Amino acid sequence: MKRIDVSEDAYNHVTNILAAIAKPFHVRKGEYLQRAGTPATQVHWLASGVARSGFFNREGVEVTLRFYREGESATTLTDLISGESGQPAVQFLIAETPIHGFTLDWKTASDLRAQHEVMQNYHLNIAMAGLQSMAQRAYSSGETSAQERLTAFREEYPGLEARISQRAIASYLGITPQYMSRLRREAEAGAEAHLEDHPAHARQA
């Protein structure tokens, strides 16, 4: 609720409306929730687990756009809109961890939204949160160094680094997994040097 700035009443109201069309699903780590090249028709709400969205560029290199966590809809809105006319999805959605959640048919959910003002406002907030996430991603991509981009990732997704693969983070940062390992080693070495220079802080911690 905090991520998309909605009240508890609105959240519960929308949840109750959608419960009638929600179907439970489970995928293992590495399985696709949505494949690029296939029309997107389903919204995936995550009760537990982490999903990743991205695409393949013209060279066939995988580019990660963002991550989705518990309590979020792992959804690529532009692909769902395109899917209404049978156009293939550009982005993929893949499970970075085992995921439990619920799927909702996009067309059916859209029909319900047209009937309920509370859903219209709710989904407007979701769309705004998505735009903010895209803007944050653009700012992060514009950072001059990989270390700065890693810092921005940690700020945007606190605690996520320990849950997903180094390869996924490297893809998000636009670097190789090998360079990602180097960044971590440098960060660890810097932290150790800081403790050696400030032993009093280390004892207090």
Side-chain angles (χ1 to χ4, degrees), residues 52-201:
R52 176 170 62 93
S53 70
F55 67 97
F56 293 94
N57 65 20
R58 294 185 179 182
E59 286 72 43
V61 177
E62 186 178 281
V63 178
T64 294
L65 294 176
R66 65 163 296 180
F67 298 93
Y68 301 88
R69 294 156 291 175
E70 292 84 356
E72 293 183 313
S73 292
T75 302
T76 60
L77 183 58
T78 53
D79 285 327
L80 286 170
I81 294 173
S82 298
E84 292 177 354
S85 57
Q87 298 181 55
V90 174
Q91 297 182 44
F92 62 78
L93 287 167
I94 192 168
E96 282 299 308
T97 69
I99 291 176
H100 292 274
F102 297 89
T103 59
L104 301 95
D105 179 77
W106 168 250
K107 185 179 184 307
T108 305
S110 296
D111 291 341
L112 285 174
R113 184 171 62 247
Q115 301 169 27
H116 299 276
E117 184 177 357
V118 65
M119 282 188 63
Q120 296 168 23
N121 294 331
Y122 181 86
H123 284 100
L124 176 60
N125 280 30
I126 290 178
M128 293 297 292
L131 289 174
Q132 290 175 343
S133 178
M134 288 175 59
Q136 182 61 47
R137 170 62 171 149
Y139 299 148
S140 299
S141 299
E143 296 288 1
T144 56
S145 74
Q147 186 62 62
E148 289 172 333
R149 295 197 297 276
L150 177 58
T151 298
F153 162 81
R154 288 169 171 167
E155 292 174 350
E156 184 176 2
Y157 299 105
L160 187 59
E161 188 174 356
R163 301 179 61 190
I164 61 177
S165 69
Q166 184 168 284
R167 176 179 172 276
I169 300 172
S171 174
Y172 181 81
L173 300 180
I175 60 178
T176 64
Q178 293 77 13
Y179 190 46
M180 180 67 196
S181 295
R182 175 182 166 184
L183 288 179
R184 281 180 164 171
R185 288 196 301 270
E186 291 175 350
E188 290 171 359
E192 291 175 359
H194 178 77
L195 291 176
E196 290 176 358
D197 292 339
H198 302 83
H201 290 291

